[in-house]
Amino acid sequence: MKISSRFRSAAVAVIAAAGVSFASAAHADSGSIRFSVYKAAFFIGGSGGEGTLTFHGRRYPISIGGISGGLAFGASKTYFQGKVRNIRRARDVTGVYGAAGGGGALGRGAQVIVMTNDKGARLELTGRQVGLQVNADLSGMSIGLR
């Protein structure tokens, strides 16, 4: 059985492309992140905060900003901590993350959230919330390196 050289070349190209994409995914790494966010809302809300990304033994200061819209009112502060996955360098964590959710806190509450940015960085966070906050909204959060 004789295989044409075009077919063989195409098969080699497909295998090489699959290998490169698998290798790049295998080289992605993870870090830890910790930040606090102040949020205030009356239907439209805003949030801001700061924290630290720890990646390959180095600490990077980060800033947080955000906006939300929907059924939301109150004010709170949330302390988040967790993992950042699928990053190759610290700046991969920067970008816009979106989420839809609902919840509330009177005094104290807890949150769990998973979000991804356009670079593929995945935040897996747990948080403890303090304040009075009720929400069923769409929200976006932006993370930047300072």
Side-chain angles (χ1 to χ4, degrees), residues 80-142:
F80 285 105
Q81 65 181 13
K83 287 284 193 187
V84 180
R85 299 196 188 277
N86 199 30
I87 59 175
R88 290 174 182 76
R89 54 192 171 269
R91 70 174 176 238
D92 288 347
V93 76
T94 64
V96 176
Y97 297 80
L106 175 59
R108 293 178 183 251
Q111 291 189 346
V112 176
I113 192 164
V114 176
M115 299 184 289
T116 305
N117 72 4
D118 60 335
K119 297 173 190 141
R122 178 182 169 100
L123 298 178
E124 299 170 357
L125 305 170
T126 59
R128 99 182 177 279
Q129 188 174 18
V130 178
L132 169 61
Q133 183 79 39
V134 176
N135 66 302
D137 58 3
L138 297 173
S139 59
M141 177 177 71
S142 174

Side-chain angles (χ1 to χ4, degrees), residues 27-113:
H27 290 297
D29 210 345
S30 64
S32 62
I33 192 165
R34 177 182 298 255
F35 59 92
S36 59
V37 176
Y38 291 95
K39 183 176 181 181
F42 186 73
F43 293 103
I44 296 176
S47 60
E50 58 186 21
T52 304
L53 166 69
T54 304
F55 184 64
H56 288 173
R58 289 191 57 198
R59 299 175 129 223
Y60 299 88
I62 57 171
S63 60
I64 311 294
I67 190 164
S68 62
L71 175 60
F73 68 90
S76 65
K77 181 176 184 180
T78 306
Y79 301 92
F80 285 105
Q81 65 181 13
K83 287 284 193 187
V84 180
R85 299 196 188 277
N86 199 30
I87 59 175
R88 290 174 182 76
R89 54 192 171 269
R91 70 174 176 238
D92 288 347
V93 76
T94 64
V96 176
Y97 297 80
L106 175 59
R108 293 178 183 251
Q111 291 189 346
V112 176
I113 192 164

